[in-house]
Amino acid sequence: MWGDTSIKLGNMFGAVAGFLGVLLLLFYLAGFARGRLSRRLAILLLLGPAVLLLLVGIVVPAVRTIYLSLFNEDSTKFLGAGNYTWAFGDSDIHQVLLNTLLWIVIAPILTTALGLVLALLVDRLRGQAVYKSLIFMPMAISFVGASIIWKFVYDYRDPSQPQIGLLSQICIWLGWHNPPNWILSHPLNNFLLMIIMIWVQTGFAMVVLSAAIKAIPEDVTEAAVLDGAQGWRLFANVTIPMIRSTIIVVLTTVMITTLKLFDIIRTMTGGNFGTQVLANEMYNQAFTEFNNGRAGALAVLLFLAVVPLVAYNVRMLRKEREVR
C-alpha cells in the first residue's frame, strides 16, 4: 500500500518537476531572442503556461462534466436533458434546492449585516486590533474544524446525564429541562448549521467593511454633520451609500462560498435529517450512487449559479477601481 502511494507521489512530483524544468529551459532560450521575435516570444512564454494550466485544470474538466451530464450513470446511453429533468422534477432534489436557496439568502445577509455592525462598533474601541484579531480568528479555521467545534456545542444527551453540548446546558440552566436533539430537529437544524458559516465568515466581512468605512473622506462626513446628520441619519444617508459597492462585493463573495458549501454539511450531518444541499448531493451522486450523469448535471447547475455572482463581483470591483 505504502509502496503504491510513494510511487504515485513520486510520479506526481516528477511530472511537476519536469513541467517546471521545461519552462525554465524555454525562458533560458528566450533570453537569446532579439528584436520583434523577443517580444512575441516573451508574450507566448508568459501566457502559454497560464493558458495551458487553465485548459487542463478548468476548461477540459468543465467540458467533460457537461458531456457526462448528458448521459446515464455509466455514460453508455445518451439521455440529453434527462438528468436536468430529474434535477428539477424529483421531490427530494426540490428539498435540496430549497435548502441551498435558504443558505444563499440567509447566511450571506446575516454575515454581511453582522460584519457591518461589528465594524462600526469595534472601530470605536481602544485596542481595536486585538478585538478584530479575535473576531477574524475563525477565518483561520477550516470549515471542517469549525464544524467539529460546533458539533460539541450542539451535542445532545439525555437531560439526566452530564451535558457536553454547550447549547443544551445553557437551555437547562435557563429552565428548559428537555431540550431537543438540535441536529435532528428539522428545519431548525438548517439554521443552526448556518450559524457555523456566519461564525467563520463574519470576521472577513468585518475587516473588509471596516476598511471601506475608514476610506470614507473626512470632509464628506464633516459636511454631513454640519448639515445636522447624526447617528442613524449619518449612517443611513452617508456611510451606507459610500460603501455600497463594498457591501455588495462582500455579500456576493459570501454567497459564492455558500453555494460551494460542502464541508459543514458533510461533517455535521452528511446531508441527513433534511439538511442536504446541492454540493453535497453532487458528491453523493458521484461517489455514493456512482451516477456520473446526475452528478454532472448538479455540477453544471452549481456552476451556472456561481458564474453570475462572479461576473457581478468582477464588474463591481472594476467600477470601484474606476471611481478611485
Side-chain angles (χ1 to χ4, degrees):
M1 176 180 175
W2 288 108
D4 293 339
T5 303
S6 61
I7 291 174
K8 290 179 180 178
L9 288 174
N11 292 336
M12 181 183 70
F13 286 118
V16 173
F19 176 78
L20 294 176
V22 172
L23 199 58
L24 290 174
L25 178 62
L26 291 175
F27 279 127
Y28 174 75
L29 295 175
F32 295 100
R34 295 292 182 271
R36 294 182 178 179
L37 179 62
S38 63
R39 176 177 174 79
R40 294 176 181 176
L41 192 58
I43 293 174
L44 178 62
L45 288 176
L46 291 173
L47 291 180
V51 172
L52 178 62
L53 291 174
L54 284 173
L55 286 173
V56 173
I58 297 178
V59 177
V60 173
V63 172
R64 177 167 172 75
T65 300
I66 295 172
Y67 172 82
L68 291 174
S69 71
L70 302 176
F71 287 81
N72 64 344
E73 63 274 6
D74 55 359
S75 303
T76 58
K77 182 181 179 181
F78 181 76
L79 299 179
N83 290 318
Y84 297 95
T85 303
W86 162 81
F88 289 106
D90 188 271
S91 58
D92 292 334
I93 303 302
H94 289 169
Q95 182 63 50
V96 173
L97 294 175
L98 177 60
N99 289 343
T100 305
L101 181 62
L102 288 175
W103 271 88
I104 63 177
V105 171
I106 296 174
I109 291 176
L110 291 180
T111 299
T112 306
L114 186 57
L116 181 57
V117 171
L118 289 173
L120 291 168
L121 295 178
V122 173
D123 284 344
R124 298 169 183 256
L125 301 176
R126 291 183 178 180
Q128 57 178 273
V130 176
Y131 298 111
K132 285 184 178 179
S133 298
L134 292 174
I135 296 171
F136 189 79
M137 194 175 294
M139 279 291 294
I141 306 173
S142 68
F143 280 131
V144 173
S147 300
I148 292 173
I149 292 172
W150 282 87
K151 205 164 191 175
F152 285 107
V153 175
Y154 296 144
D155 185 78
Y156 172 80
R157 285 190 175 185
D158 188 271
S160 61
Q161 299 179 357
Q163 297 296 313
I164 295 178
L166 179 62
L167 183 58
S168 294
Q169 184 62 67
I170 291 174
C171 290
I172 291 173
W173 282 338
L174 294 175
W176 189 358
H177 298 295
N178 190 25
N181 191 330
W182 306 103
I183 297 301
L184 299 184
S185 302
H186 180 75
L188 176 63
N189 50 8
N190 280 303
F191 299 101
L192 294 176
L193 296 183
M194 290 179 196
I195 291 175
I196 304 174
M197 170 70 76
I198 295 168
W199 181 67
V200 173
Q201 293 291 316
T202 295
F204 159 76
M206 177 200 66
V207 169
V208 176
L209 293 172
S210 176
I213 291 171
K214 289 182 177 180
I216 298 175
E218 291 185 6
D219 54 348
V220 174
T221 305
E222 291 173 359
V225 172
L226 290 174
D227 288 339
Q230 290 183 352
W232 172 255
R233 288 182 60 192
L234 182 65
F235 173 72
N237 297 324
V238 178
T239 304
I240 292 295
M242 293 295 292
I243 65 170
R244 182 182 290 114
S245 60
T246 305
I247 291 175
I248 294 174
V249 168
V250 170
L251 186 64
T252 52
T253 301
V254 179
M255 279 184 177
I256 292 169
T257 304
T258 305
L259 269 172
K260 298 184 296 180
L261 177 71
F262 171 79
D263 314 62
I264 295 174
I265 301 300
R266 198 73 195 171
T267 305
M268 294 293 289
T269 65
N272 299 313
F273 320 121
T275 62
Q276 187 68 294
V277 292
L278 196 56
N280 194 59
E281 180 63 24
M282 177 187 68
Y283 176 89
N284 284 344
Q285 290 295 331
F287 300 106
T288 303
E289 302 295 333
F290 301 103
N291 193 321
N292 292 327
R294 291 182 174 180
L298 295 177
V300 171
L301 293 177
L302 192 60
F303 174 76
L304 293 176
V306 169
V307 166
L309 293 174
V310 174
Y312 186 75
N313 223 352
V314 171
R315 182 182 174 189
M316 292 301 299
L317 286 172
R318 286 179 177 174
K319 281 186 176 180
E320 189 173 352
R321 287 178 182 176
E322 290 173 359
V323 171
R324 290 179 181 176

